[in-house]
Amino acid sequence: MARSLDEFRSYRTRMNDRIAEIDHLGIKRFFNLDAAAYKDGALDGKTKELIGLAASCVLRCNDCIDYHLIQCVDLGCTDGEIVDTLNVALIVGGSIFIPHMRHAVETLDALRTERSADSIRKDNTP
Amino acid sequence: MARSLDEFRSYRTRMNDRIAEIDHLGIKRFFNLDAAAYKDGALDGKTKELIGLAASCVLRCNDCIDYHLIQCVDLGCTDGEIVDTLNVALIVGGSIFIPHMRHAVETLDALRTERSADSIRKDNTP
Amino acid sequence: MARSLDEFRSYRTRMNDRIAEIDHLGIKRFFNLDAAAYKDGALDGKTKELIGLAASCVLRCNDCIDYHLIQCVDLGCTDGEIVDTLNVALIVGGSIFIPHMRHAVETLDALRTERSADSIRKDNTP
Amino acid sequence: MARSLDEFRSYRTRMNDRIAEIDHLGIKRFFNLDAAAYKDGALDGKTKELIGLAASCVLRCNDCIDYHLIQCVDLGCTDGEIVDTLNVALIVGGSIFIPHMRHAVETLDALRTERSADSIRKDNTP
Amino acid sequence: MARSLDEFRSYRTRMNDRIAEIDHLGIKRFFNLDAAAYKDGALDGKTKELIGLAASCVLRCNDCIDYHLIQCVDLGCTDGEIVDTLNVALIVGGSIFIPHMRHAVETLDALRTERSADSIRKDNTP
Amino acid sequence: MARSLDEFRSYRTRMNDRIAEIDHLGIKRFFNLDAAAYKDGALDGKTKELIGLAASCVLRCNDCIDYHLIQCVDLGCTDGEIVDTLNVALIVGGSIFIPHMRHAVETLDALRTERSADSIRKDNTP
């Protein structure tokens, strides 16, 4: 992976803070609406994140794919659920999605490694 | 609506039959893969149809939106679940999706009318 | 033109009203943000409408093109300004935009005819 | 088909003439470059039209698909060559292309009917 | 930023020179048309660059965003004008544009730093 | 070039292997269909690769462009044929394709250098 998950997270936070600092009312409201769209509603947050992942896949945006994968894993999606979502995206979006599928699988593997390191660390706490 | 649901269904069936008749192995296999992608798996068919709907929304294809709405309604999705999906698509895809959202809501209304006509017809059966 | 300007306007109003009736908070807020984005700010409303027109052109959405053309003409854009915008969109977006350019010019002609009918009507008022 | 081949041809010619009349130097030059791109070169015109067809398919523009299909048939492409091109477009572009594939096959059938009517008419000339 | 402004400029110049060297008439003419599209006309160059920026934003091309930002800053656009343009692009293009908005703001900051270094250097000339 | 041809090839192979390992039937079948689409048929493999290249260009995917360029060069396409394909993509897809054209020409140059190193090595075999 060209860029680690932590590099992605810190770049994202730093630039989102910088955008907030610009203090454009329309942009700030859009960011709030964006966050609100994935909260539990008629659909639960987990399903909405899978939907957001699929939308990011067919629109072929690696940063958006990484962001939604992080959310999916945090909300407890299984690998099977995520791979089924990637498969629908592959059928709808075609082979032009394949390079992004490679990226998505690489990110998912990195997230699982991170999680497993986390749980090992927790196991070791005396 | 420029075209009724029945016109859409019969045009779709007629042309899919015509494409099948061409008998191109790659195309036939793709159509099979496409159908298989929405079957119950790690995710159930209903969730996959909502994902397919969202993907069709952000890629802005009215015929695909209509097709997935028909499937969603057939599989028992509520209006709330469908509208939440449209909302995620609106946030991800932006205002360029709005004309397709108008189309989607019109189709959903037509599907509900059709269903309610169905149930009235059933109620009246002696 | 497949559909008159008045048909477009009444369909758009009717379906936007229907969407408002659904009363989804996220969707309603998005529609408000959308309207606000074209108000005078650091850039005046007219320039923002030309920008919205160009964005609609390269994303190839005829309904969005029609909407922004109506706004551009209402705000006093000249044909020269609009055609320069279409030219930038043609260069950025390529020949795939040409069918939408045909649509845009047809709509612009219809808007000018409407305007000139308006001014003739006003001249005739006793 | 919502619109006959002749309606497409006459609308296209009428609006291209109208655009030429606007006399914008950049737009006129683009139209010339566009025409020149499909002339025989390192690749022959027929291969370039198949390439233009595939590009129009994955960018999902029905009018562009119709235009390139007319050119492909005029330059002697076989149904097999055209269907192979549609298949590559289907793989690259995914199921979102399917509604446009239906349109493409309908147009191709109409073009073959037209051709066969032509040849019958020629056979009947005394 | 993964790549400095100077790296972008030198890569762009080097590869445009390489493309010119290939000496393909159609490609050379397209590059000329592209340059001409942003010259003063019915719209001034500055407005055209903002339009080009918005088009690049909604089509989500970081290199095109960087190029038009350089032009916008060179032609004297204020931060307010540029941010208003990004806001229209965000509304039209949706959250899928956000990673590119982060990139755009980072580039704009780098351009302002460059400019201020320039003016400090000028102040120091004896 | 940010990434050498060999880095691209090894990353692609490694991640495709990882995706195969996931063993999702739909995804595996899609990869097979994808490979089959470029085999000799009514159109020969070389023409199909040029078509795949053009589709990748207008959809603006650098990894897909690189992959099809490798195939085109392996199947004996001349620079003239490839550049004609890039020109059609430029006309259809517009200036937003230009950064990807720079990438494509850089990759093509790297492929020719690789080939010429190959043939020098072969000449030197005793």
Side-chain angles (χ1 to χ4, degrees):
Chain A
M1 192 150 44
R3 188 194 54 186
S4 75
L5 281 169
D6 279 341
E7 281 168 331
F8 169 67
R9 286 187 186 103
S10 72
Y11 174 80
R12 188 176 171 278
T13 303
R14 180 162 57 84
M15 290 313 302
N16 281 7
D17 288 352
R18 177 68 191 96
I19 290 170
E21 207 179 80
I22 290 172
D23 206 32
H24 186 288
L25 191 60
I27 294 173
K28 284 195 300 182
R29 284 191 176 152
F30 188 96
F31 274 68
N32 289 337
L33 263 188
D34 183 23
Y38 299 95
K39 303 284 180 216
D40 287 339
L43 291 172
D44 59 15
K46 197 182 106 170
T47 305
K48 287 176 165 185
E49 287 294 343
L50 289 170
I51 286 171
L53 174 62
S56 302
C57 287
V58 297
L59 291 176
R60 302 188 284 121
C61 171
N62 280 351
D63 280 14
C64 309
I65 288 171
D66 286 354
Y67 175 74
H68 287 294
L69 279 174
I70 292 171
Q71 300 302 106
C72 286
V73 167
D74 278 356
L75 293 170
C77 293
T78 65
D79 284 1
E81 291 168 330
I82 289 170
V83 173
D84 258 11
T85 302
L86 298 182
N87 181 50
V88 172
L90 179 62
I91 289 296
V92 176
S95 70
I96 206 81
F97 168 59
I98 290 178
H100 304 273
M101 177 179 262
R102 288 195 275 265
H103 180 84
V105 170
E106 195 178 19
T107 295
L108 182 56
D109 282 345
L111 284 165
R112 294 304 182 196
T113 304
E114 212 177 55
R115 290 245 138 182
S116 112
D118 272 8
S119 62
I120 289 167
R121 236 173 277 134
K122 277 176 201 152
D123 288 354
N124 287 342
T125 47
Chain B
M1 192 148 47
R3 188 193 52 186
S4 75
L5 282 169
D6 279 342
E7 281 167 331
F8 170 66
R9 285 186 187 105
S10 71
Y11 174 79
R12 188 176 170 279
T13 303
R14 179 162 57 82
M15 290 313 301
N16 281 6
D17 288 351
R18 177 68 191 95
I19 290 171
E21 208 179 79
I22 291 172
D23 206 31
H24 186 287
L25 191 60
I27 294 174
K28 284 195 299 183
R29 284 191 176 153
F30 188 96
F31 274 69
N32 289 337
L33 263 188
D34 183 23
Y38 300 95
K39 303 285 180 215
D40 287 339
L43 290 173
D44 59 14
K46 197 183 108 172
T47 305
K48 286 176 165 186
E49 286 295 343
L50 289 171
I51 286 171
L53 174 62
S56 303
C57 286
V58 297
L59 291 176
R60 300 188 286 119
C61 171
N62 279 351
D63 279 13
C64 309
I65 289 171
D66 286 354
Y67 175 73
H68 287 294
L69 279 174
I70 291 171
Q71 300 302 106
C72 287
V73 166
D74 278 356
L75 293 171
C77 293
T78 65
D79 283 1
E81 290 168 330
I82 291 170
V83 173
D84 258 11
T85 303
L86 298 182
N87 181 49
V88 172
L90 180 61
I91 288 295
V92 176
S95 69
I96 207 81
F97 169 59
I98 290 178
H100 304 273
M101 179 179 259
R102 288 194 276 265
H103 180 84
V105 170
E106 195 177 18
T107 295
L108 181 57
D109 283 345
L111 284 164
R112 295 304 181 196
T113 303
E114 212 177 54
R115 289 246 138 180
S116 109
D118 271 8
S119 63
I120 289 167
R121 238 173 275 134
K122 279 177 201 151
D123 289 354
N124 287 342
T125 47
Chain C
M1 193 148 47
R3 187 193 54 185
S4 75
L5 282 169
D6 279 342
E7 281 166 331
F8 169 67
R9 285 186 187 105
S10 72
Y11 174 80
R12 188 176 171 279
T13 303
R14 180 162 57 82
M15 290 313 301
N16 281 6
D17 288 352
R18 178 68 190 95
I19 290 170
E21 207 180 81
I22 290 172
D23 206 31
H24 186 288
L25 191 60
I27 295 173
K28 284 195 301 181
R29 283 191 177 154
F30 188 96
F31 275 68
N32 288 337
L33 263 188
D34 183 24
Y38 299 94
K39 302 286 181 214
D40 287 339
L43 290 174
D44 59 15
K46 197 183 108 172
T47 305
K48 287 175 166 188
E49 287 294 344
L50 289 170
I51 286 171
L53 174 61
S56 302
C57 287
V58 297
L59 291 176
R60 300 186 288 122
C61 171
N62 279 351
D63 279 14
C64 309
I65 288 171
D66 285 354
Y67 175 74
H68 287 294
L69 279 174
I70 291 171
Q71 299 303 106
C72 286
V73 166
D74 278 356
L75 292 171
C77 293
T78 65
D79 283 1
E81 290 168 330
I82 290 169
V83 173
D84 258 10
T85 302
L86 298 181
N87 181 50
V88 171
L90 179 61
I91 289 295
V92 176
S95 68
I96 207 80
F97 168 59
I98 290 178
H100 304 273
M101 178 179 259
R102 288 195 275 266
H103 180 84
V105 169
E106 196 177 18
T107 296
L108 182 57
D109 282 346
L111 284 164
R112 294 306 181 196
T113 304
E114 211 177 57
R115 290 246 137 178
S116 111
D118 272 8
S119 63
I120 288 166
R121 237 174 275 133
K122 278 177 199 150
D123 288 355
N124 286 342
T125 47
Chain D
M1 192 150 46
R3 186 194 53 186
S4 75
L5 282 168
D6 279 341
E7 281 166 332
F8 169 67
R9 285 186 187 104
S10 73
Y11 174 79
R12 188 177 170 278
T13 303
R14 179 162 57 83
M15 290 313 301
N16 281 7
D17 288 351
R18 177 68 191 95
I19 290 170
E21 205 180 82
I22 290 171
D23 206 31
H24 186 287
L25 191 59
I27 294 173
K28 285 195 300 183
R29 284 190 176 154
F30 188 96
F31 275 68
N32 289 338
L33 263 188
D34 182 24
Y38 299 95
K39 302 286 180 213
D40 287 339
L43 291 173
D44 59 15
K46 197 183 107 171
T47 305
K48 287 175 166 187
E49 287 295 343
L50 289 170
I51 286 171
L53 174 61
S56 302
C57 287
V58 297
L59 291 176
R60 300 188 287 120
C61 171
N62 280 350
D63 279 15
C64 309
I65 289 171
D66 286 354
Y67 176 73
H68 287 294
L69 279 174
I70 292 172
Q71 300 302 106
C72 286
V73 167
D74 278 356
L75 292 170
C77 293
T78 65
D79 284 1
E81 291 168 330
I82 290 170
V83 173
D84 258 10
T85 302
L86 298 182
N87 181 50
V88 172
L90 180 61
I91 289 295
V92 176
S95 70
I96 207 81
F97 168 60
I98 290 178
H100 304 273
M101 178 180 260
R102 288 195 275 266
H103 180 83
V105 170
E106 194 177 19
T107 295
L108 181 57
D109 282 346
L111 284 165
R112 295 304 182 197
T113 304
E114 212 177 57
R115 290 247 139 180
S116 110
D118 271 8
S119 63
I120 289 167
R121 236 173 275 132
K122 277 177 201 149
D123 288 355
N124 287 342
T125 48
Chain E
M1 193 149 46
R3 189 193 52 187
S4 75
L5 282 169
D6 279 342
E7 281 167 331
F8 169 67
R9 285 187 187 103
S10 72
Y11 174 79
R12 187 177 171 278
T13 303
R14 179 161 57 83
M15 289 313 301
N16 281 6
D17 288 352
R18 177 68 190 96
I19 290 171
E21 208 179 80
I22 290 172
D23 206 32
H24 186 288
L25 191 60
I27 294 173
K28 284 196 300 182
R29 283 192 177 153
F30 188 96
F31 274 68
N32 288 337
L33 263 188
D34 183 23
Y38 299 94
K39 302 285 180 215
D40 288 339
L43 290 172
D44 58 15
K46 198 182 106 171
T47 305
K48 287 176 165 186
E49 287 295 343
L50 289 170
I51 286 171
L53 174 62
S56 302
C57 287
V58 297
L59 291 176
R60 302 187 285 122
C61 171
N62 280 351
D63 279 14
C64 309
I65 288 171
D66 285 354
Y67 175 74
H68 286 295
L69 279 174
I70 292 171
Q71 299 303 106
C72 285
V73 166
D74 278 356
L75 293 170
C77 292
T78 65
D79 283 0
E81 291 168 330
I82 290 170
V83 173
D84 258 10
T85 302
L86 298 181
N87 181 50
V88 171
L90 179 62
I91 289 295
V92 176
S95 69
I96 207 81
F97 169 59
I98 290 178
H100 304 273
M101 178 180 260
R102 287 195 276 265
H103 180 84
V105 169
E106 196 177 18
T107 296
L108 182 56
D109 282 346
L111 285 164
R112 294 305 181 197
T113 304
E114 212 177 54
R115 290 245 137 183
S116 111
D118 272 8
S119 63
I120 289 166
R121 237 173 276 135
K122 278 177 200 150
D123 287 355
N124 286 344
T125 47
Chain F
M1 192 148 46
R3 190 194 50 186
S4 75
L5 282 169
D6 278 342
E7 282 167 330
F8 169 67
R9 285 188 187 103
S10 71
Y11 174 79
R12 188 177 171 278
T13 303
R14 179 162 57 84
M15 290 313 301
N16 281 6
D17 288 351
R18 176 69 190 96
I19 290 170
E21 208 180 79
I22 291 173
D23 205 32
H24 186 287
L25 191 60
I27 294 174
K28 284 195 299 182
R29 285 193 175 151
F30 188 95
F31 274 68
N32 289 337
L33 263 188
D34 183 23
Y38 299 94
K39 303 283 180 217
D40 286 340
L43 291 172
D44 58 16
K46 196 183 108 171
T47 305
K48 287 176 165 186
E49 287 294 343
L50 289 170
I51 286 171
L53 174 62
S56 302
C57 287
V58 297
L59 291 177
R60 300 188 286 120
C61 171
N62 280 351
D63 280 14
C64 309
I65 289 171
D66 285 354
Y67 175 73
H68 287 294
L69 279 174
I70 291 171
Q71 300 302 107
C72 286
V73 166
D74 277 356
L75 293 170
C77 292
T78 65
D79 284 1
E81 291 169 329
I82 290 170
V83 173
D84 257 11
T85 302
L86 298 181
N87 181 50
V88 172
L90 180 61
I91 288 296
V92 176
S95 69
I96 207 82
F97 168 59
I98 290 178
H100 304 273
M101 178 179 261
R102 287 195 276 264
H103 180 84
V105 170
E106 196 178 17
T107 295
L108 182 56
D109 282 346
L111 284 164
R112 294 305 181 195
T113 303
E114 214 178 52
R115 291 245 137 182
S116 112
D118 271 8
S119 63
I120 289 167
R121 237 173 276 135
K122 279 177 199 149
D123 288 355
N124 286 341
T125 47

